[in-house]
Amino acid sequence: MKVLGVDPGLTRCGVGVVDGVAGRPLTMIGVGVVRTPADAEIAHRLVEIERGIDTWLDEHRPDCVAVERVFSQHNVRTVMGTAQASAVAMLCAARRGLPVALHTPSEVKAAVTGSGRADKAQVGAMVTRLLRLDAPPKPADAADALALAICHIWRAPAVNRLQQAQAAARRAAPASVPAVGLRRAAPQKGTR
């Protein structure tokens, strides 16, 4: 499975492609950052992010895209920019019919380092080790994108099995009787 990981951001949007399957050594195919100038209008920045992600999708042809799930931060302006960049990544993938998976930062950290509270240096060190790189990818946004791809490769089989089990359970469940028109029987005299 080849996965494009996207660490969304307006100024630096990390992108990284990892190929492999769970339980086997993984291979980094490419890593980088889509940059936009902080003083440009938001609409133009989003277009640049779209062009950058489209270029990565065209060049690497991944099987799916893993994007960091936006979480609430104290800085609303930062979270809005991150959410907008995230939406652009999802749109680019959806246009090509690629599945999109969202992973929270703590899910990614836990998958890659074993701790959902790991810091950026720990994530970078583990990405370097797991992908057998000479040095951690720079900037941290690039390492985070690779970590997202790794997380998805490792989590996808379990998530797929869970989704299949849930679908099977829904198919096997008896149809429920509609409650409309049913009345509760009045208790008989002498019973409670």
Side-chain angles (χ1 to χ4, degrees), residues 48-110:
E48 286 304 312
I49 291 169
E50 177 190 30
R51 287 181 183 147
I53 292 173
D54 278 341
T55 299
W56 277 82
L57 291 169
D58 290 342
E59 183 178 336
H60 297 288
R61 305 237 181 257
D63 300 308
C64 61
V65 176
V67 181
E68 183 176 274
R69 183 182 299 272
V70 178
F71 64 98
S72 178
Q73 295 177 335
H74 297 295
N75 186 339
V76 174
R77 187 173 178 189
T78 300
V79 81
M80 287 301 295
T82 302
Q84 290 163 332
S86 176
V88 168
M90 290 187 279
L91 174 71
C92 291
R95 247 193 234 131
R96 288 169 169 75
L98 294 172
V100 176
L102 300 174
H103 299 285
T104 66
S106 59
E107 287 172 344
V108 174
K109 291 173 185 179

Side-chain angles (χ1 to χ4, degrees), residues 103-174:
H103 299 285
T104 66
S106 59
E107 287 172 344
V108 174
K109 291 173 185 179
V112 174
T113 70
S115 170
R117 296 178 185 255
D119 62 23
K120 289 212 178 267
Q122 290 170 308
V123 171
M126 284 307 295
V127 164
T128 302
R129 183 175 179 193
L130 293 168
L131 297 176
R132 299 168 314 282
L133 305 175
D134 294 332
K138 299 284 183 190
D141 308 276
D144 289 348
L146 291 171
L148 275 151
I150 293 167
C151 173
H152 184 70
I153 289 169
W154 287 352
R155 290 176 52 102
V159 170
N160 288 341
R161 284 193 301 274
L162 178 61
Q163 289 171 342
Q164 289 169 354
Q166 289 170 335
R170 283 192 298 273
R171 286 190 302 272

Side-chain angles (χ1 to χ4, degrees), residues 163-184:
Q163 289 171 342
Q164 289 169 354
Q166 289 170 335
R170 283 192 298 273
R171 286 190 302 272
S176 61
V177 178
V180 178
L182 295 179
R183 287 189 233 169
R184 180 178 244 174

